[in-house]
Amino acid sequence: MEPELAVALPAAGAVVTAALRPRPRAALLVGGALGAAGLAAILLAAPGLTSDQLGVTLSISAMNRTLLLAAAGSLALVVAFAPPRTERASLLTWGLAGIAGMAAIAVAPDLDMVILLTLAIALLHAALGGRRGLAARLRAPALAVALLGVGLVFARVEGSPLLARFAAVGLAAGLAAALGTLPYIHEFDPEELTAASPIAWIAFLGPILGLAIVTRARELVPEAAAAFGAMLIGLGLLNILWGSLASWLTEKGTSAWHYSFMADWGLVLCAFGIQVADGRAAAVLILYGILLGRLPLYLWSRQSLRERVQNDRPINLLAAAMLAGSAPFAGFAARVFLLRGATQLYWPLALVIAIGLLLWLPPSLRLGRSLGWPRGKLAVGAGIALALSVAIGIYPQPLLSLAGL
Amino acid sequence: MIVLADGRRGLALGIGLIAVGLAVLAWTTGMWLGGALLLAGGSVSIVALLRTGRQDWGLMPAGSTPRLILAAVGAVVSLWLAASVTTGPGAPLRFAVIAVLGLMAARLLQGHSAVAVLAAAAGLALALAGASALGPNDAGLAPYLLAAVIAAGATFLPVPEKRGA
């Protein structure tokens, strides 16, 4: 019953929190309790075991479970240490809705359901409102759904062996469009609310969705798995280059953060493309870094970005080091795994990735400065994010064991 | 119709045609309840489109020649893919699914009106449910049910309407 509860409890939490919005304290209390119960259901769900209580076979993999826990941790961090003037109940509502959607994707029995769930999430996300028009908000995720659907159809029909490669193209293109990475960067408005902006796709929903698509695509087109992996590596390198350079050189601070997520996804795509255990370990660690490091720091920097405040205090330098993937933070361990995996596959690839990694330094310094001078709750939140990253970086094995690696 | 129309009546007719076509194809594969769900989802979507907003057809407004060409080329390419490139039984379903997915993707890319984009999303949901019948294993009713809910719910989303002078 755990997979069903992992979806139902956060969904119920989102509904109750929305209903209790006029009473924020009660909303936070009830939503937090239901969210924590959902987290327990995720934690207790045994990887690989199936549940058939609703007439649909549901099961959760170890990697999915680990990333769901990270997403829940990220939401808890962001709600508990929300920036001043942020409506925490509203943040919790949309976060819990996202967790319910991600849990549904994680436990879905096949790619058909994953794609349909993605469309449902895209419609709900578009309905959130925001500065962009509804058509602009829905366009990229719905296009991703169409591309994934075409890939799915090509994977299933009989005919020329080339069809499997077309399927791989559709699935890789759909994945990029869903995440909002090159060549389908989502339209971004720096002034838009984070929950309604493309950051929700690239930083919060993306990790689970990406993992679901990549693992199921490999099962669906095993004969084109090598081509699919090569496409992921190609897209990954493109995003590393574009994301890091744009994050460094773009004028707007908020856009710089958006591009930095793209650069991190470039590393994840490369790691997914390298079909060895080290690649998977690198992907899990980088996704952890996105969920528990980059996303909370982005939210906490919004205020200082608006006020154009920049600082060079030790906390800013530490944040910059974490974002750049320096030792002893989690990003460093991830990069070591990635380079080791790339060397096993094809050593010149490791060389290219290593050169690409140098591009993280200038934008990370810029992003670290944009955090301003976090005080009070924000300083505590930033401290926790940094400490978590150091702990994972120094000893990543417990996390990798939880992910079945 | 969804590619060629801008008005709510035209979009509703497009959704209706997709729902009826895919429901009939589901019935031919023995998915009686699945087909009925698609029909129900499509019907609710049509009602939602016709219930509110400015009621007009908006069929092929000025400057829509590229859309007409896109629809014709999309249909021919889908037919070629379904009947010639791919083999095995279920060619009509393959044609319907590829054509709807391709054309809805095109509509999403070139559409600036929220109603048209939502109608395209509803069409996508129906086509994806149809695609589940192409799988080697019986997908059950879940994809049909979810697609029907999405198609029905999509057109209920609040949409800011342009007002006349």
Side-chain angles (χ1 to χ4, degrees):
Chain A
M1 196 65 190
E2 284 87 2
E4 287 89 348
L5 288 176
V7 181
L9 288 170
V15 172
V16 172
T17 319
L20 290 173
R21 209 172 156 191
R23 297 170 63 195
R25 272 178 187 276
L28 281 173
L29 205 68
V30 180
L34 284 167
L39 193 68
I42 296 166
L43 202 62
L44 292 173
L49 272 187
T50 57
S51 171
D52 207 355
Q53 305 273 330
L54 300 174
V56 187
T57 311
L58 306 176
S59 73
I60 191 163
S61 73
M63 261 173 106
N64 270 322
R65 192 180 63 163
T66 314
L67 289 180
L68 265 177
L69 290 174
S74 173
L75 178 64
L77 202 58
V78 164
V79 173
F81 303 102
R85 280 178 285 171
T86 303
E87 215 183 308
R88 291 203 299 166
S90 164
L91 203 59
L92 185 63
T93 304
W94 294 113
L96 286 173
I99 296 276
M102 284 191 275
I105 286 174
V107 302
D110 48 34
L111 194 58
D112 298 73
M113 292 296 282
V114 170
I115 300 173
L116 278 166
L117 285 165
T118 308
L119 182 57
I121 294 171
L123 284 162
L124 288 174
H125 186 249
L128 250 177
R131 285 168 57 95
R132 296 170 299 152
L134 189 138
R137 273 177 277 142
L138 189 57
R139 190 173 294 128
L143 176 69
V145 166
L147 289 168
L148 290 169
V150 170
L152 181 73
V153 171
F154 280 133
R156 284 187 172 157
V157 294
E158 297 164 23
S160 158
L162 263 182
L163 287 172
R165 297 207 168 194
F166 278 130
V169 171
L171 294 168
L175 173 64
L179 299 171
T181 54
L182 269 179
Y184 301 101
I185 305 174
H186 293 188
E187 196 181 311
F188 184 71
D189 185 331
E191 301 303 322
E192 198 168 39
L193 215 70
T194 306
S197 79
I199 297 294
W201 284 98
I202 201 166
F204 193 58
L205 300 162
I208 288 284
L209 184 60
L211 182 63
I213 293 169
V214 168
T215 48
R216 284 178 169 93
R218 288 215 178 103
E219 293 161 10
L220 205 63
V221 277
E223 62 273 39
F228 182 66
M231 274 183 266
L232 291 184
I233 292 171
L235 282 174
L237 291 175
L238 192 66
N239 279 289
I240 288 174
L241 189 70
W242 190 270
S244 48
L245 285 178
S247 176
W248 179 16
L249 301 171
T250 189
E251 218 170 276
K252 288 207 179 243
T254 322
S255 300
W257 277 95
H258 179 220
Y259 285 119
S260 80
F261 284 109
M262 270 174 60
D264 263 14
W265 263 105
L267 285 182
V268 178
L269 291 175
C270 283
F272 276 141
I274 299 165
Q275 296 165 39
V276 293
D278 282 341
R280 285 193 294 275
V284 167
L285 290 178
I286 300 163
L287 291 174
Y288 249 78
I290 290 177
L291 284 165
L292 289 170
R294 198 171 291 268
L295 177 60
L297 288 184
Y298 165 70
L299 281 165
W300 295 326
S301 70
R302 292 289 302 258
Q303 185 66 31
S304 49
L305 281 167
R306 255 181 242 120
E307 292 165 359
R308 297 176 185 276
V309 178
Q310 296 216 329
N311 258 308
D312 280 321
R313 291 173 187 278
I315 194 160
N316 302 90
L317 294 177
L318 282 172
M322 184 180 90
L323 295 170
S326 322
F329 294 100
F332 184 74
R335 282 157 173 79
V336 170
F337 277 118
L338 180 61
L339 289 175
R340 209 165 68 176
T343 311
Q344 286 170 47
L345 185 73
Y346 181 56
W347 71 263
L349 175 64
L351 193 66
V352 173
I353 293 174
I355 294 167
L357 291 179
L358 297 176
L359 293 172
W360 254 260
L361 208 56
S364 298
L365 283 169
R366 174 188 181 176
L367 299 178
R369 276 193 200 114
S370 74
L371 196 59
W373 184 15
R375 275 175 259 195
K377 274 202 306 186
L378 294 195
V380 176
I384 291 174
L386 290 168
L388 270 174
S389 184
V390 169
I392 295 170
I394 289 173
Y395 190 42
Q397 196 50 50
L399 184 71
L400 297 177
S401 302
L402 191 68
L405 297 166
Chain B
M1 286 300 293
I2 293 178
V3 172
L4 295 178
D6 280 341
R8 282 177 173 265
R9 282 184 190 161
L11 295 170
L13 181 61
I15 293 279
L17 289 173
I18 291 174
V20 169
L22 288 166
V24 169
L25 288 170
W27 288 335
T28 57
T29 56
M31 290 297 295
W32 291 99
L33 202 53
L37 282 170
L38 292 188
L39 211 52
S43 305
V44 175
S45 180
I46 291 169
V47 170
L49 278 169
L50 297 180
R51 204 171 52 97
T52 54
R54 217 174 79 191
Q55 296 300 319
D56 57 354
W57 289 93
L59 263 178
M60 291 192 63
S64 55
T65 312
R67 291 201 231 170
L68 183 66
I69 295 169
L70 171 74
V73 171
V76 172
V77 171
S78 304
L79 188 64
W80 174 66
L81 284 170
S84 180
V85 177
T86 58
T87 55
L93 181 59
R94 289 200 300 271
F95 167 69
V97 170
I98 294 172
V100 174
L101 285 175
L103 290 174
M104 292 307 104
R107 187 66 172 116
L108 284 163
L109 280 179
Q110 53 103 26
H112 294 287
S113 125
V115 186
V117 170
L118 289 174
L124 269 183
L126 297 174
L128 286 167
S132 68
L134 292 170
N137 307 318
D138 181 17
L141 274 180
Y144 293 95
L145 182 62
L146 186 55
V149 171
I150 293 171
T155 38
F156 272 101
L157 289 181
V159 170
E161 292 276 346
K162 277 184 190 161
R163 298 193 184 279

